Amino acid sequence: MTSSITSGGGGPRGEAPVIRRATARDAKRLTRLVRTSRAYEGPYAPMVAGYRVGPDYIETHEVFVAIGADDRLLGFYALVLSPPELDLMFVADAAQGLGIGRRLVEHMTGEARRAGLTGVRVVSHPPAEGFYRSVGAVRVGTEAANPPAVMWDRPELVIPVDGHRP
């Protein structure tokens, strides 16, 4: 089976995805994306098994979705403003490697700038640390495991906004 998502980012002709504010109606799709992400297979699966992105979460935080052709969900992020943290960021498995994550981070830093932030903390899924570093994040520490919810240490990074360094 061939995917119609192309390296241009969103649809069969390579048009860029639309990034828009999430609504309560997106909650089920966001939850499904989190729970079915291949990034959380194997030993990481328990962390997302019962995870839910609810309408209340979407209304409370800065949650944005990347939508491609045919209203296809390509990814999303959730920015918490106080204290500043990228709480969630997921890219659909079929859209991995197409620049969706970079577009979401660029959008997120724009939102952070508008909110007057100089940096955004990220406690990364260990395999995603390389991605965050590739978009300018700087490692500042390690978040210790917190059993039973999180059984492994995670890298703590900061994504600078407008050149501010952590």
Side-chain angles (χ1 to χ4, degrees):
M1 184 164 95
T2 308
S3 172
S4 65
I5 300 172
T6 66
S7 61
R13 291 176 303 283
E15 64 268 15
V18 171
I19 298 178
R20 64 162 171 80
R21 184 77 186 248
T23 67
R25 297 182 71 180
D26 293 313
K28 286 182 182 178
R29 290 200 305 172
L30 302 185
T31 296
R32 187 175 326 113
L33 179 57
V34 170
R35 289 183 183 179
T36 62
S37 173
R38 283 192 316 242
Y40 283 87
E41 291 179 333
Y44 300 114
M47 186 171 175
V48 297
Y51 200 88
R52 178 178 169 268
V53 181
D56 52 337
Y57 182 89
I58 291 170
E59 292 171 7
T60 303
H61 302 296
E62 304 292 312
V63 182
F64 288 85
V65 295
I67 303 295
D70 303 324
D71 197 39
R72 186 176 359 186
L73 176 63
L74 301 175
F76 78 99
Y77 75 86
L79 174 63
V80 175
L81 296 177
S82 184
E85 182 169 357
L86 180 62
D87 189 41
L88 297 170
M89 187 168 125
F90 282 82
V91 174
D93 293 338
Q96 295 282 324
L98 301 178
I100 303 301
R102 287 185 183 284
R103 289 176 190 239
L104 288 170
V105 169
E106 288 170 8
H107 189 275
M108 183 274 304
T109 57
E111 292 299 309
R113 182 180 310 105
R114 279 186 278 289
L117 306 176
T118 59
V120 177
R121 177 179 187 248
V122 179
V123 178
S124 175
H125 179 48
E129 180 180 6
F131 165 76
Y132 287 114
R133 286 182 176 223
S134 78
V135 296
V138 176
R139 183 149 184 184
V140 295
T142 301
E143 183 81 11
N146 185 18
V150 181
M151 301 300 289
W152 57 90
D153 292 347
R154 296 170 293 158
E156 179 184 9
L157 306 109
V158 171
I159 299 174
V161 175
D162 289 335
H164 290 92
R165 301 313 284 174

